[in-house]
Amino acid sequence: MSYEFNPADVPVVSDLLEKVATPSDEILKIWEHLSSNEEYKLLDESLRAEIDFVFSYELQEDFGTGGDVNLVQSALSVTVTRPMSETPAGAWFLWAEVHDMLRPSTIRAQVADILLTARVRPKPDHASATVASYLAAAELERVTPQQVALSLARANTIARSRRMTEERAVRQAMYIKSEVFTSRPETSGPALTLLAALSAEPRGGESMSREEREGIRSRLFTIGGASTFFTDEIAKSLTRLADDPAELESARRWHTEQYIARARADDHGMVKMHHAQTAASLAGDYGLSDLRDEAVRIMQSVDRDSMGWESVYHEVKVSKNAFRAYLRKYGRARDWSHALMTFLASPSPSGDHEANKRRAQKAAAGSIRSLITRTVYGTHGLPERTNDDFMEEEITRIETTTLSTTAELLALELEHIRQRFPMARADEITIWMVETLSADRSLAHFFSESLSLHWAENYSDSARLSVPLIESAARGLLRTLDEPLYRTQRGDSPGRFPAMDFYVDALAKRDLDPDWVRALRMTLLTPGMNLRNLAAHGFMMEFSEQQSALLLRLAGLFCAMPNNFDQQSLEALPTMTRRRLRRRLGWVWS
């Protein structure tokens, strides 16, 4: 039942509020006293609901602004009551009368603010009264530093948003209190609330004086020097305080140098790396190349042994017969060529991309990993990515795991072919691929060389040949499809062909099977295994048998492809012929 105004309720409510608490009590403390009071429990239920409504609001600092403090209601479903717009008119009559009877206190300031925010009393005189109530509350005895800071910053927010003449007086009060709070480590938080508000240029009158600006800056530096916990918040206030480009650069340098100093001071590799990485990122955003270089040098100097890496192993017991069952598909092969055809007809080594996405969604549901900072480190020991899209990270994790498992099986397949049949010479394999698969002779030649190196157990040599072979074959296919690839000279940058990531994107646009697009991307590029880039830049010089087999399978996708079809002629083929070609090569055309 909605509350209906009764003038007799006014003295009851005002007397009760002043009886249960002292003027300086925090709002929720007043409610705690009130809720246990016997007189309160005897009040009509609708009246108690309106009293509870007033206590559902609190002052909250908006850390994304220049020290703004707003009167907000909790958004939690278990604590929210109702919007101000749904408050019955009788309740507003009650609180307007109660406000006028209350003596200066935190609850009087709260009620005044609610009436102002709800536009029940929107006129300038009530806005001035609300500011005065907060100023008075900040001077009460035994009021907490946090309540002082929030009260003054809220008064400043009201005065500043309305360009009131009272803004100057509020700023003076904040300036005085900030000096007191800055001198004590335990009140650094309230001091920062006030300094954040002071760092924004006033709106209601004269500009900030040089003396005031320097005083605020000095106090921010004092807090920053005493604790590294507030570095980022202090940097925001220093940036707002900057009055010219030199001051802005000084603020940004201070921010970056704080993290560089922390990186230098810490002996734990992971902590040192984190601070240096943060400094490098800040310096890059700020355009401070000298500090960025300094931070990167620290990152590069971190000893891998100091990082505290731990390997986590998970054993899965698999019957040996499971591998025999997997290799059963080679049972009908009569010679190496038939077996090699079976190898080249296998599906994408990263699996079904759509199925992988469903698995990732299931694994990600409720995962605590989505709530924490996640940084991926490369084989070079340096951070590559931080806080990527969580679902994409999960898909990458599942597909790279699938690739690693499939690589084991592909290596087993090649070993089985080598042991089962007499090893063919490289030139014999080349001729077979050209005559049977209509493959390009050059690609078939280098594929055969790489395969022979693998069978000779020269896995690193095989992989080092397969990586550029895949890129060359992808580029050749796209040129056959008349894709404009070459990048002409721009300024001092000479003409060139693009890198592998562009080829994979172009193949995807040309309707390469999405499963194979993912296999190429996750094996060769970041954020996957990144084998192509690691090899090209000298970070990976040795390759395992499994990596060699995986790269051979990717190379086989292109090298076993007919070289006498372009997209137009392929699309013109009868449906049955296209299906056969698709089954053989794993290639899908729209």
Side-chain angles (χ1 to χ4, degrees), residues 291-304:
L291 294 184
R292 181 190 174 281
D293 291 346
E294 189 174 349
V296 169
R297 280 193 288 269
I298 296 174
M299 292 171 65
Q300 293 174 170
S301 71
V302 175
D303 187 346
R304 291 193 186 189

Side-chain angles (χ1 to χ4, degrees), residues 197-330:
L198 286 166
S199 67
E201 193 70 32
R203 292 178 180 171
E206 60 189 52
S207 299
M208 198 185 311
S209 68
R210 172 57 59 180
E211 181 182 0
E212 181 183 5
R213 195 182 301 275
E214 289 303 321
I216 297 168
R217 185 178 289 109
S218 175
R219 291 166 196 178
L220 288 168
F221 285 145
T222 298
I223 297 173
S227 172
T228 58
F229 188 77
F230 303 111
T231 297
D232 294 333
E233 186 177 350
I234 291 171
K236 290 179 182 178
S237 293
L238 288 171
T239 299
R240 281 192 298 270
L241 198 61
D243 195 32
D244 55 48
E247 288 185 358
L248 179 60
E249 181 177 340
S250 176
R252 291 173 170 177
R253 282 188 171 277
W254 179 89
H255 192 193
T256 308
E257 286 167 350
Q258 293 301 299
Y259 280 101
I260 289 177
R262 291 165 72 176
R264 284 189 180 133
D266 211 295
D267 293 328
H268 192 285
M270 186 66 75
V271 178
K272 182 185 287 288
M273 183 70 77
H274 169 72
H275 292 322
Q277 180 188 4
T278 303
S281 177
L282 288 172
D285 292 342
Y286 294 154
L288 305 173
S289 58
D290 58 326
L291 294 184
R292 181 190 174 281
D293 291 346
E294 189 174 349
V296 169
R297 280 193 288 269
I298 296 174
M299 292 171 65
Q300 293 174 170
S301 71
V302 175
D303 187 346
R304 291 193 186 189
D305 293 337
S306 70
M307 292 288 287
W309 295 118
E310 292 185 11
S311 298
V312 179
Y313 298 94
H314 181 67
E315 273 192 21
V316 178
K317 293 184 178 181
V318 179
S319 170
K320 293 182 179 180
N321 286 332
F323 294 105
R324 293 183 60 207
Y326 176 79
L327 294 171
R328 186 172 54 191
K329 60 186 177 180
Y330 289 96

